[in-house]
Amino acid sequence: MHYGGDWNPEQWPEKTWGEDVRLMTEAAITLVRTGTHGWARTEPAPGAWDFGWLDRALDLLADAGVDVVLSTMTGGPPPWLLRRHPEAAPDGTACPSGPVRHTYATRLVEQLARRYGDHPAVALWHIGDVYGSGHGCARPCGCEACEEAFREWLRARYGSLDALNSAWTTAVRSQTYGAWEEVRLPGHAGSAGECSPDPARLLDRRRFTHDALLGCFLAEREVLRALTPEVPVTTGFLPLDGSVDQFGWARHQDVVALGPAAGSGEAAGTGGPLAAAAAFDAARGAGGGQPWMLLDHGPAEGPWPPGALRLRAWQAVAQGADAVLPAPWRQPRGGAGRFRAALVPHAGTASRMFTEARALGHELAAAPAQLEGSRVSAVRAALVLDWPSRWALEQSPAAGLDAPGLLLRYHAPLLRSHVACDVVPPGRDLTGPGYRLVVVPHLHLLSVLDARRLAGYVRGGGHLLVGCCSGIVDESARLHGNGWAAPLRELLGVTVEEPWPLAEGVTVPVEGGPAGSGHGSAWAEVLTLDGAEAVARFTGGPAAGGPAVTRHSYGDGVAWYVATRLDAGALERLLGAACARAGAEPVLPGLPREVQAAERRAADGTRFVLLLNHGARQARCRLPQPMRDVLTPGRDADAPVYQVTLPPGGVAVLSAAPPGA
């Protein structure tokens, strides 16, 4: 298992570099990312290259046996470039379509590839920094280059103005286009229809700016592919960030990498493990189940709490990571990251933080060799996530449903019940992996083809649970014909007569069935049963007396529908019943709720079970069969273990020999 952090030698006097590398060896560091912020040091003036510092840094790492994820440095343009070309700033209003950044960035990448492509330390290229919010995707700049690129993108997508007018329903508000030059980028002065922006236009703006940002990544990747075809390529994703379709981007990467968490509250607070678990499952899902890597996932301000670094690192491993670089190597004395958690804090090597970092390095180094490259197994459930649907939901009356919050709302009960879960796009095969239960949390945008895939999964014996406001619009944010949620009507056995957005703070009571007594919020629907049975009903609100939760036998499977956003307790009870009926069994039965359980299976069949205690109390875990504790120092490796006691923040790695061994 690879372990390390971000090393930024350009921020420190060169006399400290040797000490850094010596400490890396002491802490069993095997992999560091470097060069991320090195563009200004490498090219201090246009075309004036200075690689000497990076030569010496990489040579030190190679001599120490530390591998490198070398950044292309393009995430932080130098001041001279921004002075010459202000539009190149990566500040959220940058133009990803203009030629400036492409020209300068690919020139830099070519220099790096030619110089370091065969360097013994370089194991992986990292393109840019971390793509996502604040990197030009959320808000296009609206310059002339962006406008023209948007029109070209629309021509490629729709082929003709007639098709565009149809997709955008431009007959509404007299917005029909007669020439491509009339089409403007939504959201800027002079754009037609700005008094009431059409959701289809806004959705295409999100798609366009996303694809333009992807184009920046691909331009650099193509240079690296041409010059260093044997060196794998990656980039970092912000966890579940709304601006980058991680499933789409993953097709262009050799390794999926998950970048910084969204601040100290998410990373270290009470909700941290739940949010991290959903993001980790999504990262693994983006890579199709392949091992992935964790980058810089520590608190944005303040240190890791005691034991939290170890727990988060092993949580990533439990959910499929083979490389854990959870924090910067050393805290800088100044700049935005001076308070960011690091493996070597300002207090130095005598600190608790470095002591924990060093212990974690040796613990990962001592893990069984078969753990690296093993795959997460015993997965019985899948959650469907779709970025275009998320973008469309933001432009709908149901925007209060909050797509990332919905994913966590449905993912957390599965985690607490120890049912291993994949997070997958709607176009992924749902039958081959053997999922017993597939959960669709409010898939607002749903194509007819993906609706047929869901129906085929259930018809073949699968169990499906769908949240409200699903299947409402097509790929152009237009309502499907023949009523609400038309593509799912036959599958779910219900007709949605009326949707009711609920004001913030308004709830509707729900009673009956496995959900028990609870309430819904944000959204409620009036349903008519067309073959389904009502297992819970609204007892108040606009849909009073009508079905709130339904169940429908379809083919050899079962489809559930939830006509509101259920409160956490009711949803957990409902998901528990759906798991039981579907046969979605936990990784290990009878575990405490606060303990996370995951299984990884090696190529030779060896089964590893990882247990992590996210609670504040000691947890006792009984094992259904004897296993071996491969993590605790001093324990007889062959002695069978029948029970594990985990302190708060505790971790256990257990193994069982392959069948027949």
Side-chain angles (χ1 to χ4, degrees), residues 374-440:
S374 62
R375 304 291 188 89
V376 172
S377 57
V379 178
R380 298 289 181 264
L383 264 74
V384 175
L385 172 66
D386 184 54
W387 265 267
S389 179
R390 177 175 175 175
W391 301 333
L393 185 65
E394 293 170 357
Q395 308 299 331
S396 78
L401 284 173
D402 173 35
L406 293 171
L407 178 71
L408 299 182
R409 179 180 288 263
Y410 279 83
H411 187 276
L414 296 172
L415 185 73
R416 292 193 182 106
S417 60
H418 316 109
V419 175
C421 175
D422 283 342
V423 177
V424 299
R428 189 74 55 85
D429 176 28
L430 299 175
T431 56
Y435 298 129
R436 304 293 179 84
L437 176 68
V438 171
V439 179
V440 179

Side-chain angles (χ1 to χ4, degrees), residues 599-650:
E599 178 179 303
R600 291 183 62 157
R601 195 174 292 269
D604 66 359
T606 301
R607 176 188 176 214
F608 294 98
V609 174
L610 295 90
L611 303 176
L612 305 97
N613 183 8
H614 296 296
R617 298 181 179 179
Q618 177 177 283
R620 185 168 296 153
C621 308
R622 298 183 182 276
L623 305 179
Q625 64 184 82
M627 304 187 79
R628 295 187 301 115
D629 184 340
V630 299
L631 195 61
T632 305
R635 182 183 291 275
D636 182 354
D638 294 322
V641 176
Y642 298 87
Q643 179 175 289
V644 174
T645 301
L646 298 174

Side-chain angles (χ1 to χ4, degrees), residues 36-263:
T36 308
H37 309 293
W39 191 345
R41 178 75 181 267
T42 299
E43 191 181 7
W49 305 104
D50 177 11
F51 291 106
W53 70 278
L54 190 54
D55 292 345
R56 296 188 292 277
L58 294 181
D59 289 347
L60 280 172
L61 294 169
D63 291 344
V66 178
D67 289 335
V68 172
V69 182
L70 184 57
S71 173
T72 60
M73 307 183 181
T74 52
W80 59 260
L81 177 57
L82 303 184
R83 178 173 57 85
R84 289 186 170 199
H85 304 283
E87 72 274 18
D91 62 355
T93 58
C95 172
S97 307
V100 172
R101 291 205 66 196
H102 282 278
T103 299
Y104 286 97
T106 54
R107 184 180 70 174
L108 170 62
V109 173
E110 182 177 352
Q111 292 284 334
L112 291 168
R114 292 188 185 280
R115 192 173 189 94
Y116 300 115
D118 59 355
H119 193 283
V122 176
L124 192 69
W125 289 111
H126 185 284
I127 295 178
D129 189 359
V130 177
Y131 288 95
S133 296
H135 285 70
C137 193
R139 292 178 291 138
C141 69
C143 71
E144 186 175 333
C146 237
E147 292 274 11
E148 182 54 37
F150 182 53
R151 286 189 281 268
E152 289 299 320
W153 183 89
L154 291 172
R155 286 189 185 98
R157 179 173 178 84
Y158 294 107
S160 69
L161 274 176
D162 287 344
L164 174 68
N165 283 319
S166 174
W168 284 10
T169 321
T170 54
V172 175
R173 294 185 180 272
S174 186
Q175 295 301 307
T176 303
Y177 296 107
W180 285 107
E181 290 72 23
E182 296 170 0
V183 182
R184 302 295 303 277
L185 191 62
H188 299 285
S191 299
E194 285 305 305
C195 61
S196 181
D198 178 69
R201 298 167 65 230
L202 296 177
L203 178 58
D204 273 348
R205 181 185 70 175
R206 293 295 298 268
R207 287 176 170 139
F208 159 69
T209 51
H210 169 275
D211 288 356
L213 194 64
L214 176 60
C216 295
F217 167 84
L218 293 176
E220 295 184 34
R221 192 202 66 165
E222 292 312 305
V223 174
L224 297 173
R225 282 278 191 266
L227 298 176
T228 61
E230 302 302 320
V231 182
V233 169
T234 189
T235 191
F237 293 138
L238 293 172
L240 299 176
D241 178 70
S243 53
V244 172
D245 181 351
Q246 297 175 11
F247 295 134
W249 279 55
R251 296 195 297 268
H252 307 290
Q253 299 173 240
D254 299 301
V255 181
V256 170
L258 192 66

